[in-house]
Amino acid sequence: LKLNKDRLAEIIRSFSGVELLVIGDLILDSYLDCLPLGVAYEAPVPLVENQNEQRTPGGAGNVATNLALLGVQARLVAPVGTDPEATQLERMLADAGVGFLPLKVRRPTPHKTRILSGKHYYLRLDEEQADPLNEDEASALEQVAQKNWGNPAALLVSDYDKGTVTPSLVRWMEGEAQRMQVPIYADLKPRTATHWQNLNLIAPNLREARELFAQLHPGDAMPKEPADLAVALSRQFSNQVVLKMSERGLLAVNRDGARCRLEALSHDTTNVSGAGDTVFATLSAALASGAALEEAAVLANIAASLAVAQQITHAVSAKELLEAVSKR
């Protein structure tokens, strides 16, 4: 697939005129950069000493941060707790230029802590309460989104299976999007996929796509080729599918079954955490700017190569993406 660099640059520059609304699970990502000291004396486990800690918005926060750095006018609606993690996320999102519209709930803000040493990944600790929002909380979240709906070119759903995306919220989002004639782009989890009826784009990774197929087609043979799997999901949802295949790149399928396969541009991946959010954000920004699916996928593939080259979760800026496009 060959695309004109000037056309890709034009799409990137048009991001600044796009407004997008993100709803989903907000997570605080912490990275502990540690010095390995050997093996602990009380048990045969690695002994490390923390040297430095970095924190970034994760989940829907990473999607919104990517959008803002790409130049998009991004608003984020998400539940958070009344804890220091929420306060820190609010500050980081404001610094990134995201219009954050929180709903305070009686549960801790999801927090993922990764323990690293150079390129070695020791452990991830998740602190969360992932039960679905109750009816009152889901209704309150709808009200926050309704009040701050604005005039988005698309609604983005970032589902990390932390309880935000409930059946009632899905019904409200689909109804509101249909009423306002706004497409829905979703990075969804298989467990909540059956809640949905009207999605314009889904962007699962390969594992999620297989789980989703198995859930929707119990007893049927799993397609052996990723392309056949993506086509099957596209037919199931009557929408566009972008399959994230990690080191194997991206596979985009249009509603008519047309396929576009893109090889990964970087195989020396320092960190894959958050790269899927970068892909999803870049795809959404490009599609909302009027790009064809193939054009959006090419830009998302380039953005992914920039994200995975960083030590921690990295939001790719419009400047970085423009420079990368000019070099290819």
Side-chain angles (χ1 to χ4, degrees):
L1 178 66
K2 292 184 179 180
L3 294 174
N4 186 288
K5 289 183 180 181
D6 291 338
R7 169 59 181 158
L8 294 178
E10 176 190 348
I11 295 168
I12 297 168
R13 293 191 182 97
S14 70
F15 290 169
S16 60
V18 172
E19 181 182 330
L20 294 173
L21 177 64
V22 183
I23 299 177
D25 296 303
L26 178 57
I27 301 167
L28 178 63
D29 281 343
S30 292
Y31 294 84
L32 304 185
D33 184 15
C34 298
L35 177 69
L37 300 178
V39 178
Y41 71 87
E42 69 271 26
V45 296
L47 177 62
V48 297
E49 179 182 285
N50 184 25
Q51 301 286 296
N52 182 44
E53 180 177 2
Q54 296 185 67
R55 293 186 167 189
T56 64
N62 189 32
V63 173
T65 299
N66 270 275
L67 290 172
L69 290 183
L70 287 171
V72 171
Q73 300 171 55
R75 291 192 309 284
L76 169 63
V77 175
V80 291
T82 54
D83 47 30
E85 287 80 4
T87 302
Q88 189 166 22
L89 280 166
E90 289 184 41
R91 185 176 68 251
M92 290 190 293
L93 290 166
D95 290 345
V98 175
F100 180 36
L101 306 155
L103 171 69
K104 300 288 186 176
V105 293
R106 293 183 177 180
R107 63 171 67 196
T109 303
H111 186 189
K112 294 182 180 180
T113 302
R114 295 172 175 86
I115 298 176
L116 313 164
S117 179
K119 292 187 178 182
H120 190 83
Y121 189 166
Y122 284 102
L123 180 70
R124 192 184 87 188
L125 173 65
D126 289 5
E127 300 169 88
E128 63 192 25
Q129 181 184 327
D131 298 336
L133 297 179
N134 62 41
E135 280 190 30
D136 289 342
E137 291 168 336
S139 177
L141 195 68
E142 291 171 17
Q143 291 174 29
V144 173
Q146 179 77 67
K147 184 178 179 181
N148 297 281
W149 185 269
N151 188 33
L155 169 62
L156 277 60
V157 179
S158 179
D159 182 5
Y160 268 75
D161 209 8
K162 306 301 181 190
T164 300
V165 181
T166 63
S168 63
L169 184 64
V170 167
R171 287 193 296 272
W172 178 83
M173 287 190 287
E174 288 191 324
E176 193 66 14
Q178 189 171 25
R179 186 177 71 84
M180 300 297 291
Q181 296 185 313
V182 169
I184 302 176
Y185 306 146
D187 199 352
L188 47 76
K189 286 290 182 282
R191 194 173 69 85
T192 57
T194 54
H195 300 341
W196 295 94
Q197 300 294 324
N198 299 292
L199 293 172
N200 298 80
L201 169 82
I202 60 173
N205 61 37
L206 196 52
R207 177 183 57 78
E208 291 168 340
R210 287 172 175 150
E211 289 180 11
L212 185 52
F213 181 89
Q215 183 173 311
L216 296 170
H217 302 276
D220 289 359
M222 180 72 63
K224 292 183 179 180
E225 295 299 323
D228 295 332
L229 177 60
V231 168
L233 292 178
S234 177
R235 288 173 180 165
Q236 177 77 35
F237 287 97
S238 299
N239 64 9
Q240 302 173 105
V241 174
V242 174
L243 194 55
K244 299 175 292 193
M245 301 185 295
S246 192
E247 71 279 356
R248 297 168 66 183
L250 297 178
L251 178 64
V253 177
N254 258 313
R255 283 189 178 87
D256 59 6
R259 310 169 189 181
C260 170
R261 171 71 185 274
L262 298 168
E263 295 293 335
L265 299 175
S266 175
H267 296 281
D268 182 21
T269 56
T270 298
N271 170 47
V272 297
S273 300
D277 296 328
T278 298
V279 167
F280 181 52
T282 310
L283 276 172
S284 301
L287 290 171
S289 300
L293 180 63
E294 294 81 0
E295 295 170 327
V298 168
L299 288 173
N301 200 39
I302 295 171
S305 72
L306 299 173
V308 298
Q310 303 300 316
Q311 188 68 31
I312 66 170
T313 298
H314 177 70
V316 175
S317 69
K319 181 181 178 182
E320 286 178 280
L321 195 53
L322 277 169
E323 289 175 354
V325 164
S326 70
K327 293 174 182 176
R328 297 198 178 277

